[in-house]
Amino acid sequence: MVNPMKQILSLFAVMAAGPAIAAPGGAIATLQLGSYVCETPGDATGPAGQRVPAQDFTIINASSYATGSGRGSYLLTGKIVVVTSGPKKGQRFHKLSGSFLRLLEPDGNDSSLRCIRQVTNNR
């Protein structure tokens, strides 16, 4: 006869070894390190984008960012970035790709402001 306590402990051990359940909204992740420059769309008579330097930021490690006016943190779940502290606190972004974010309006729709991670060929 098997000891019921051993069965319960074995069950807990198996459950603890299983896969982690994702957070609501998707898996938790981080953005790629680097500087993100922000702009709004231009038009056919000028540049393709109009820089908005006040919105620029740099991902400095894991879930921390820096701007010219301070540092803060963010949470990325699925494709939504929520800035949780610092100068950009309360802003939300839609992650469209590994290097492309779009600021979200209060109603959750994409705004015209886009932030793109700088790499060698777009500086």
Side-chain angles (χ1 to χ4, degrees):
M1 186 163 168
V2 177
N3 182 341
M5 186 58 110
K6 284 185 179 181
Q7 284 182 323
I8 291 171
L9 290 174
S10 296
L11 178 61
F12 282 131
V14 170
M15 289 172 44
I21 297 173
I28 295 174
T30 57
L31 294 172
Q32 291 184 36
L33 300 179
S35 296
Y36 287 74
V37 294
C38 300
E39 63 185 17
T40 56
D43 61 35
T45 64
Q50 299 293 320
R51 283 287 310 277
V52 184
Q55 291 288 344
D56 292 354
F57 59 94
T58 301
I59 301 300
I60 52 177
N61 66 34
S63 58
S64 296
Y65 73 94
T67 69
S69 58
R71 295 170 66 150
S73 59
Y74 70 90
L75 176 65
L76 169 59
T77 53
K79 294 194 175 284
I80 302 296
V81 178
V82 178
V83 184
T84 57
S85 69
K88 298 176 87 54
K89 182 178 180 178
Q91 287 188 340
R92 297 181 320 132
F93 294 87
H94 179 197
K95 180 182 172 195
L96 297 170
S97 74
S99 298
F100 191 104
L101 306 172
R102 181 118 14 216
L103 182 68
L104 290 173
E105 298 283 359
D107 65 4
N109 290 318
D110 288 354
S111 74
S112 63
L113 184 80
R114 57 192 179 220
C115 298
I116 300 133
R117 187 173 64 88
Q118 283 189 319
V119 292
T120 303
N121 67 348
N122 75 354
R123 290 184 189 260

